[in-house]
Short mmCIF file of all heavy atoms in Angstrom, two decimals:
data_model
loop_
_atom_site.label_atom_id
_atom_site.label_comp_id
_atom_site.label_asym_id
_atom_site.label_seq_id
_atom_site.Cartn_x
_atom_site.Cartn_y
_atom_site.Cartn_z
N LYS A 96 -8.59 -84.63 -76.80
CA LYS A 96 -8.87 -83.20 -76.92
C LYS A 96 -9.74 -82.74 -75.76
O LYS A 96 -10.46 -83.54 -75.16
CB LYS A 96 -9.60 -82.92 -78.23
CG LYS A 96 -8.69 -82.95 -79.43
CD LYS A 96 -9.41 -82.37 -80.61
CE LYS A 96 -8.45 -82.18 -81.77
NZ LYS A 96 -9.15 -81.84 -82.98
N LEU A 97 -9.68 -81.42 -75.49
CA LEU A 97 -10.44 -80.86 -74.37
C LEU A 97 -11.56 -79.98 -74.88
O LEU A 97 -11.34 -79.11 -75.75
CB LEU A 97 -9.52 -80.02 -73.47
CG LEU A 97 -8.29 -80.74 -72.91
CD1 LEU A 97 -7.47 -79.78 -72.05
CD2 LEU A 97 -8.71 -81.96 -72.09
N LYS A 98 -12.76 -80.19 -74.32
CA LYS A 98 -13.89 -79.31 -74.66
C LYS A 98 -14.26 -78.51 -73.41
O LYS A 98 -14.40 -79.07 -72.32
CB LYS A 98 -15.08 -80.12 -75.15
CG LYS A 98 -16.26 -79.24 -75.51
CD LYS A 98 -17.32 -79.97 -76.30
CE LYS A 98 -18.47 -79.01 -76.64
NZ LYS A 98 -19.52 -79.66 -77.40
N GLY A 99 -14.41 -77.20 -73.59
CA GLY A 99 -14.76 -76.32 -72.47
C GLY A 99 -16.24 -76.00 -72.46
O GLY A 99 -16.82 -75.66 -73.50
N HIS A 100 -16.86 -76.13 -71.29
CA HIS A 100 -18.27 -75.79 -71.11
C HIS A 100 -18.39 -74.71 -70.04
O HIS A 100 -17.47 -74.51 -69.24
CB HIS A 100 -19.06 -77.01 -70.61
CG HIS A 100 -18.99 -78.20 -71.51
ND1 HIS A 100 -19.97 -78.52 -72.42
CD2 HIS A 100 -18.04 -79.17 -71.65
CE1 HIS A 100 -19.65 -79.63 -73.07
NE2 HIS A 100 -18.48 -80.04 -72.62
N ASN A 101 -19.54 -74.05 -70.00
CA ASN A 101 -19.82 -73.17 -68.86
C ASN A 101 -21.21 -73.52 -68.36
O ASN A 101 -22.20 -73.26 -69.05
CB ASN A 101 -19.73 -71.70 -69.26
CG ASN A 101 -19.73 -70.82 -68.02
OD1 ASN A 101 -20.55 -71.03 -67.12
ND2 ASN A 101 -18.82 -69.87 -67.93
N THR A 102 -21.29 -74.08 -67.16
CA THR A 102 -22.57 -74.54 -66.62
C THR A 102 -23.10 -73.60 -65.54
O THR A 102 -24.14 -73.87 -64.94
CB THR A 102 -22.44 -75.97 -66.04
OG1 THR A 102 -21.56 -75.95 -64.91
CG2 THR A 102 -21.89 -76.96 -67.06
N ASP A 103 -22.39 -72.48 -65.30
CA ASP A 103 -22.80 -71.58 -64.21
C ASP A 103 -24.19 -71.00 -64.45
O ASP A 103 -25.03 -70.97 -63.55
CB ASP A 103 -21.80 -70.42 -64.07
CG ASP A 103 -20.50 -70.87 -63.42
OD1 ASP A 103 -20.53 -71.84 -62.63
OD2 ASP A 103 -19.46 -70.24 -63.69
N GLY A 104 -24.42 -70.49 -65.66
CA GLY A 104 -25.70 -69.83 -65.94
C GLY A 104 -26.86 -70.81 -65.89
O GLY A 104 -27.94 -70.50 -65.36
N LEU A 105 -26.64 -72.02 -66.42
CA LEU A 105 -27.70 -73.04 -66.37
C LEU A 105 -27.98 -73.40 -64.92
O LEU A 105 -29.14 -73.62 -64.54
CB LEU A 105 -27.27 -74.30 -67.13
CG LEU A 105 -27.09 -74.15 -68.64
CD1 LEU A 105 -26.59 -75.46 -69.24
CD2 LEU A 105 -28.41 -73.72 -69.29
N GLY A 106 -26.92 -73.45 -64.10
CA GLY A 106 -27.09 -73.77 -62.68
C GLY A 106 -27.91 -72.72 -61.97
O GLY A 106 -28.82 -73.04 -61.18
N LEU A 107 -27.63 -71.45 -62.26
CA LEU A 107 -28.41 -70.36 -61.65
C LEU A 107 -29.87 -70.43 -62.07
O LEU A 107 -30.78 -70.36 -61.22
CB LEU A 107 -27.82 -69.00 -62.06
CG LEU A 107 -28.68 -67.80 -61.67
CD1 LEU A 107 -28.72 -67.61 -60.15
CD2 LEU A 107 -28.20 -66.52 -62.35
N VAL A 108 -30.10 -70.59 -63.37
CA VAL A 108 -31.48 -70.59 -63.88
C VAL A 108 -32.25 -71.79 -63.32
O VAL A 108 -33.40 -71.67 -62.92
CB VAL A 108 -31.48 -70.58 -65.42
CG1 VAL A 108 -32.85 -70.92 -65.97
CG2 VAL A 108 -31.04 -69.20 -65.92
N ARG A 109 -31.59 -72.92 -63.23
CA ARG A 109 -32.27 -74.11 -62.70
C ARG A 109 -32.60 -73.92 -61.21
O ARG A 109 -33.68 -74.31 -60.76
CB ARG A 109 -31.39 -75.34 -62.92
CG ARG A 109 -32.21 -76.58 -63.07
CD ARG A 109 -31.41 -77.78 -63.43
NE ARG A 109 -32.13 -78.93 -62.95
CZ ARG A 109 -33.03 -79.59 -63.66
NH1 ARG A 109 -33.29 -79.24 -64.90
NH2 ARG A 109 -33.68 -80.62 -63.16
N ASP A 110 -31.67 -73.31 -60.47
CA ASP A 110 -31.96 -73.08 -59.05
C ASP A 110 -33.16 -72.14 -58.90
O ASP A 110 -34.07 -72.38 -58.11
CB ASP A 110 -30.72 -72.50 -58.35
CG ASP A 110 -30.85 -72.55 -56.83
OD1 ASP A 110 -31.51 -73.49 -56.32
OD2 ASP A 110 -30.31 -71.66 -56.15
N LEU A 111 -33.15 -71.06 -59.70
CA LEU A 111 -34.25 -70.09 -59.61
C LEU A 111 -35.59 -70.72 -60.03
O LEU A 111 -36.58 -70.59 -59.32
CB LEU A 111 -33.96 -68.89 -60.51
CG LEU A 111 -32.98 -67.84 -59.95
CD1 LEU A 111 -32.55 -66.87 -61.05
CD2 LEU A 111 -33.61 -67.07 -58.79
N THR A 112 -35.57 -71.40 -61.17
CA THR A 112 -36.86 -71.82 -61.74
C THR A 112 -37.37 -73.13 -61.14
O THR A 112 -38.56 -73.26 -60.88
CB THR A 112 -36.76 -71.97 -63.28
OG1 THR A 112 -35.72 -72.92 -63.57
CG2 THR A 112 -36.45 -70.67 -63.95
N VAL A 113 -36.48 -74.08 -60.90
CA VAL A 113 -36.93 -75.40 -60.41
C VAL A 113 -36.94 -75.44 -58.88
O VAL A 113 -37.96 -75.76 -58.28
CB VAL A 113 -36.03 -76.53 -60.97
CG1 VAL A 113 -36.49 -77.88 -60.44
CG2 VAL A 113 -36.04 -76.51 -62.49
N ASN A 114 -35.82 -75.07 -58.26
CA ASN A 114 -35.74 -75.23 -56.79
C ASN A 114 -36.53 -74.15 -56.06
O ASN A 114 -37.23 -74.42 -55.09
CB ASN A 114 -34.28 -75.17 -56.33
CG ASN A 114 -33.44 -76.26 -56.99
OD1 ASN A 114 -33.97 -77.28 -57.39
ND2 ASN A 114 -32.15 -76.02 -57.11
N ILE A 115 -36.38 -72.90 -56.53
CA ILE A 115 -37.04 -71.79 -55.84
C ILE A 115 -38.45 -71.58 -56.41
O ILE A 115 -39.34 -71.08 -55.72
CB ILE A 115 -36.17 -70.51 -55.94
CG1 ILE A 115 -34.81 -70.78 -55.27
CG2 ILE A 115 -36.84 -69.29 -55.34
CD1 ILE A 115 -33.77 -69.71 -55.49
N GLY A 116 -38.64 -71.99 -57.65
CA GLY A 116 -39.97 -71.94 -58.24
C GLY A 116 -40.36 -70.58 -58.80
O GLY A 116 -41.53 -70.21 -58.81
N VAL A 117 -39.37 -69.82 -59.29
CA VAL A 117 -39.66 -68.51 -59.89
C VAL A 117 -39.81 -68.66 -61.40
O VAL A 117 -38.91 -69.21 -62.05
CB VAL A 117 -38.48 -67.52 -59.68
CG1 VAL A 117 -38.83 -66.14 -60.18
CG2 VAL A 117 -38.07 -67.49 -58.23
N GLU A 118 -40.90 -68.20 -61.91
CA GLU A 118 -41.07 -68.15 -63.38
C GLU A 118 -40.35 -66.88 -63.85
O GLU A 118 -40.73 -65.77 -63.45
CB GLU A 118 -42.56 -68.09 -63.68
CG GLU A 118 -42.94 -67.60 -65.04
CD GLU A 118 -43.16 -68.72 -66.03
OE1 GLU A 118 -44.22 -69.36 -65.99
OE2 GLU A 118 -42.25 -68.94 -66.85
N LEU A 119 -39.31 -67.01 -64.67
CA LEU A 119 -38.56 -65.82 -65.10
C LEU A 119 -39.20 -65.15 -66.33
O LEU A 119 -38.98 -63.96 -66.57
CB LEU A 119 -37.11 -66.19 -65.42
CG LEU A 119 -36.25 -66.55 -64.19
CD1 LEU A 119 -34.92 -67.15 -64.62
CD2 LEU A 119 -36.01 -65.32 -63.31
N LYS A 120 -39.98 -65.89 -67.06
CA LYS A 120 -40.60 -65.35 -68.28
C LYS A 120 -41.44 -64.12 -67.93
O LYS A 120 -42.28 -64.16 -67.02
CB LYS A 120 -41.49 -66.43 -68.91
CG LYS A 120 -42.08 -66.03 -70.24
CD LYS A 120 -42.85 -67.23 -70.80
CE LYS A 120 -43.76 -66.87 -71.94
NZ LYS A 120 -43.10 -66.40 -73.11
N GLY A 121 -41.15 -63.03 -68.64
CA GLY A 121 -41.94 -61.81 -68.46
C GLY A 121 -41.58 -61.01 -67.21
O GLY A 121 -42.24 -60.02 -66.89
N LYS A 122 -40.53 -61.41 -66.48
CA LYS A 122 -40.18 -60.73 -65.23
C LYS A 122 -39.13 -59.64 -65.45
O LYS A 122 -38.33 -59.70 -66.38
CB LYS A 122 -39.65 -61.74 -64.21
CG LYS A 122 -40.68 -62.76 -63.77
CD LYS A 122 -41.76 -62.13 -62.93
CE LYS A 122 -43.01 -62.99 -62.79
NZ LYS A 122 -42.77 -64.28 -62.19
N ARG A 123 -39.16 -58.66 -64.54
CA ARG A 123 -38.11 -57.62 -64.53
C ARG A 123 -36.99 -58.11 -63.61
O ARG A 123 -37.21 -58.34 -62.42
CB ARG A 123 -38.66 -56.30 -63.98
CG ARG A 123 -39.75 -55.71 -64.87
CD ARG A 123 -40.27 -54.41 -64.30
NE ARG A 123 -39.29 -53.34 -64.39
CZ ARG A 123 -38.71 -52.75 -63.37
NH1 ARG A 123 -38.97 -53.11 -62.14
NH2 ARG A 123 -37.86 -51.77 -63.56
N VAL A 124 -35.81 -58.26 -64.18
CA VAL A 124 -34.69 -58.83 -63.43
C VAL A 124 -33.55 -57.81 -63.37
O VAL A 124 -33.21 -57.19 -64.38
CB VAL A 124 -34.20 -60.14 -64.09
CG1 VAL A 124 -33.01 -60.72 -63.34
CG2 VAL A 124 -35.34 -61.16 -64.16
N LEU A 125 -32.98 -57.65 -62.17
CA LEU A 125 -31.84 -56.76 -61.98
C LEU A 125 -30.62 -57.62 -61.68
O LEU A 125 -30.62 -58.39 -60.71
CB LEU A 125 -32.12 -55.82 -60.80
CG LEU A 125 -30.97 -54.90 -60.36
CD1 LEU A 125 -30.53 -53.96 -61.48
CD2 LEU A 125 -31.38 -54.10 -59.12
N LEU A 126 -29.60 -57.48 -62.51
CA LEU A 126 -28.34 -58.21 -62.29
C LEU A 126 -27.30 -57.19 -61.83
O LEU A 126 -27.01 -56.22 -62.55
CB LEU A 126 -27.89 -58.88 -63.59
CG LEU A 126 -26.60 -59.69 -63.54
CD1 LEU A 126 -26.72 -60.90 -62.60
CD2 LEU A 126 -26.21 -60.17 -64.95
#
Side-chain angles (χ1 to χ4, degrees):
K96 284 193 171 170
L97 303 180
K98 180 166 181 180
H100 302 261
N101 192 314
T102 65
D103 286 332
L105 294 177
L107 170 69
V108 166
R109 209 174 154 90
D110 194 32
L111 281 168
T112 58
V113 179
N114 301 335
I115 299 170
V117 185
E118 161 95 77
L119 289 170
K120 185 176 166 65
K122 295 291 164 59
R123 296 180 70 246
V124 178
L125 174 61
L126 181 64

